[in-house]
Amino acid sequence: MKKLYRNMRLFTPADGGRPLCGAEQANVKEIENASMLISDGIIERIGTDGEVTEGLSCSCISFEKDLKGACVIPGFVDPHTHMCFAKSREEEFGMRLAGLPYLEILARGGGILSSVNAVKKADDEQLFEATKKNVLAALSKGTTTVEIKSGYGLETKTELRMLEVIKRVGKETPADVVATFMGAHAVPLEWKKKADSFTDEILIKEMLPQIKAQGIAEFCDVFCEEGVFSVDQSRRLLKAALSLGFRIKVHADEVNDLGGAGLAAELHATSAEHLLAASEENLKAMGASGTVAVLLPATAFSLKKPYARGRDIVDWGVPVAIATDCNPGSCFCESMPFVFSLAVMNMDMTVNEALTAATLNAAYAINRADKTGSLERGKQADFVVLDGETPTVLAYHAGSTSVSEVYKLGERVA
Ligand code: NIG
Ligand code: FE
């Protein structure tokens, strides 16, 4: 049996088989009086009401809904989060407000390392409940597909445990969850002066093969940053991950321009993230390699840093996606509508560019564009009904999510 949604004002990027870049990033189709016919959660027909209902017999429709001219966009895809954590770091936020730099807190054994302690102390059920809470909060704000990284274990047992929890959250919530292994999120205290050995002996020889064997992560990511993992260490890890069949991502040039963006281009990474300090040359190299730039403006907001050069990065022909980076340290935010508004207001992207960044290009950044990211025949019926006339409302109505309903596979989930 099929579902029919009628009378919407539809806005969607059009998938041409690769992430949209340059001027194409703003190519958003608008269809007035649109309808969508859904069969088993998948879009069977979409277009003007006339196109969709032509020759359709009402006996095959089990459910029909009039959306009364409401504005509909694809469900948001959040391609970069650290939502699997046990405990907030509100106290540390106070330290940052008082002027202590983020990397300094980490160097003193706090930051990511304090989240590692909390995850080690939590049992599976607690970690599951905390992660589920974050995913449901994101879902209520329109996120229908989300990537979640491990990386608060930093030892094989706990990294595996996190990835199991992430997988379970994908099964037990309506959201689609994509898992990324990020054992290279920080250097554990006991390996402090031995980051090379931690990379080669633990990450490459021990963790990667075990995680591959369990089949519970699709991507491998690394925090390539001063005082964390160098470009050489990152390159060794990512090459090993590629040879085992992982797809790769890089936390690149978040605070310092180490050349992480250049490394992502060199290795044809699926995406490189942050890029606040990345050089023009390396960003352009990413464009040439088809690597998606995942920009995280809520992190710049929360760290009180200058934003990544979103406007320039689009103009340089690099496909741009946006994500929350939701984590307990640098950015506790699960709201794609907030990130959308920052992309428009503080990175000078247009509304259409931001829409592509939060949907189709974000889906490409996590290898899910075959299923979601745009509202087109053959893709999942993952969509959001907005409380406004056009997607502009996401930036215009400050402080509101402007999301009135969320649908996953054609079912209302929030
Ligand atoms: O993307 N940069 C590294 N990782 C996260 C922060 C994680 C944390 O502070 O717990 C980020 O900003
Ligand atoms: Fe991150």
Side-chain angles (χ1 to χ4, degrees), residues 298-311:
T299 310
F301 172 84
S302 171
L303 291 178
K304 298 191 177 191
K305 295 272 185 198
Y307 291 79
R309 299 165 70 181
R311 173 76 268 130

Side-chain angles (χ1 to χ4, degrees), residues 91-101 105 304:
E91 198 183 298
E92 180 188 307
F93 183 68
M95 287 153 73
R96 286 206 284 110
L97 289 179
L100 199 60
I105 296 171
K304 298 191 177 191

Side-chain angles (χ1 to χ4, degrees), residues 196 199-200 224 229-238 263:
D196 269 320
T199 306
D200 299 325
C224 180
F229 294 93
S230 68
V231 171
D232 280 342
Q233 289 157 355
S234 303
R235 182 184 287 108
R236 293 207 295 278
L237 172 69
L238 295 174
L263 177 66

Side-chain angles (χ1 to χ4, degrees), residues 80-82 149 182 185 221 251 254 273-274 296 299 325-327 330:
H80 179 142
T81 86
H82 308 256
K149 302 172 198 295
M182 200 176 176
H185 198 188
D221 195 346
H251 275 62
E254 176 176 357
E273 348 271 302
H274 288 289
L296 310 164
T299 310
D325 196 20
C326 182
N327 73 76
S330 64

Side-chain angles (χ1 to χ4, degrees), residues 9-89:
R9 192 167 184 204
L10 182 75
F11 294 82
T12 179
D15 191 353
R18 56 181 172 77
L20 297 180
C21 63
E24 284 179 348
Q25 172 125 14
N27 279 349
V28 169
K29 260 197 306 196
E30 178 184 345
I31 308 175
E32 292 285 346
N33 191 18
S35 292
M36 181 172 8
L37 179 70
I38 301 163
S39 179
D40 290 328
I42 306 298
I43 301 172
E44 191 176 305
R45 294 186 192 180
I46 188 159
T48 60
D49 189 63
E51 286 163 353
V52 171
T53 55
E54 196 193 330
L56 200 63
S57 96
C58 52
S59 63
C60 71
I61 311 283
S62 60
F63 174 89
E64 186 174 327
K65 183 166 177 173
D66 180 348
L67 288 169
K68 304 198 168 92
C71 172
V72 167
I73 60 170
F76 294 121
V77 176
D78 188 347
H80 179 142
T81 86
H82 308 256
M83 274 186 190
C84 182
F85 58 84
K87 202 172 163 291
S88 82
R89 295 189 343 236

Side-chain angles (χ1 to χ4, degrees), residues 39-249:
S39 179
D40 290 328
I42 306 298
I43 301 172
E44 191 176 305
R45 294 186 192 180
I46 188 159
T48 60
D49 189 63
E51 286 163 353
V52 171
T53 55
E54 196 193 330
L56 200 63
S57 96
C58 52
S59 63
C60 71
I61 311 283
S62 60
F63 174 89
E64 186 174 327
K65 183 166 177 173
D66 180 348
L67 288 169
K68 304 198 168 92
C71 172
V72 167
I73 60 170
F76 294 121
V77 176
D78 188 347
H80 179 142
T81 86
H82 308 256
M83 274 186 190
C84 182
F85 58 84
K87 202 172 163 291
S88 82
R89 295 189 343 236
E90 227 168 287
E91 198 183 298
E92 180 188 307
F93 183 68
M95 287 153 73
R96 286 206 284 110
L97 289 179
L100 199 60
Y102 174 74
L103 285 180
E104 178 59 30
I105 296 171
L106 177 62
R108 293 182 188 182
I112 293 171
L113 296 173
S114 83
S115 287
V116 170
N117 288 333
V119 166
K120 284 185 184 171
K121 277 194 201 129
D123 63 29
D124 288 358
E125 212 49 38
Q126 289 166 327
L127 193 56
F128 170 75
E129 287 302 331
T131 308
K132 183 175 147 191
K133 183 177 168 199
N134 290 331
V135 169
L136 292 179
L139 187 79
S140 74
K141 297 175 179 75
T143 299
T144 47
T145 299
V146 61
E147 183 255 19
I148 308 180
K149 302 172 198 295
S150 69
Y152 294 127
L154 311 186
E155 59 179 18
T156 309
K157 187 179 83 186
T158 314
E159 287 293 315
L160 281 166
R161 204 158 70 77
M162 285 189 75
L163 290 166
E164 289 292 352
V165 164
I166 292 167
K167 182 172 151 193
R168 185 176 158 205
V169 171
K171 286 207 176 116
E172 297 185 29
T173 65
D176 277 326
V177 172
V178 174
T180 295
F181 163 60
M182 200 176 176
H185 198 188
V187 181
L189 279 180
E190 55 279 24
W191 293 88
K192 197 69 206 148
K193 296 249 151 51
K194 298 174 289 184
D196 269 320
S197 317
F198 181 67
T199 306
D200 299 325
E201 303 305 321
I202 305 299
L203 291 169
I204 296 180
K205 281 215 189 101
E206 192 179 303
M207 290 192 197
L208 273 182
Q210 290 197 40
I211 281 150
K212 186 68 204 173
Q214 299 289 321
I216 47 178
E218 184 170 335
F219 285 89
C220 174
D221 195 346
V222 54
F223 191 9
C224 180
E225 182 55 71
E226 228 160 72
V228 195
F229 294 93
S230 68
V231 171
D232 280 342
Q233 289 157 355
S234 303
R235 182 184 287 108
R236 293 207 295 278
L237 172 69
L238 295 174
K239 279 187 155 179
L242 280 173
S243 71
L244 285 175
F246 288 93
R247 293 174 192 273
I248 58 167
K249 297 178 164 291

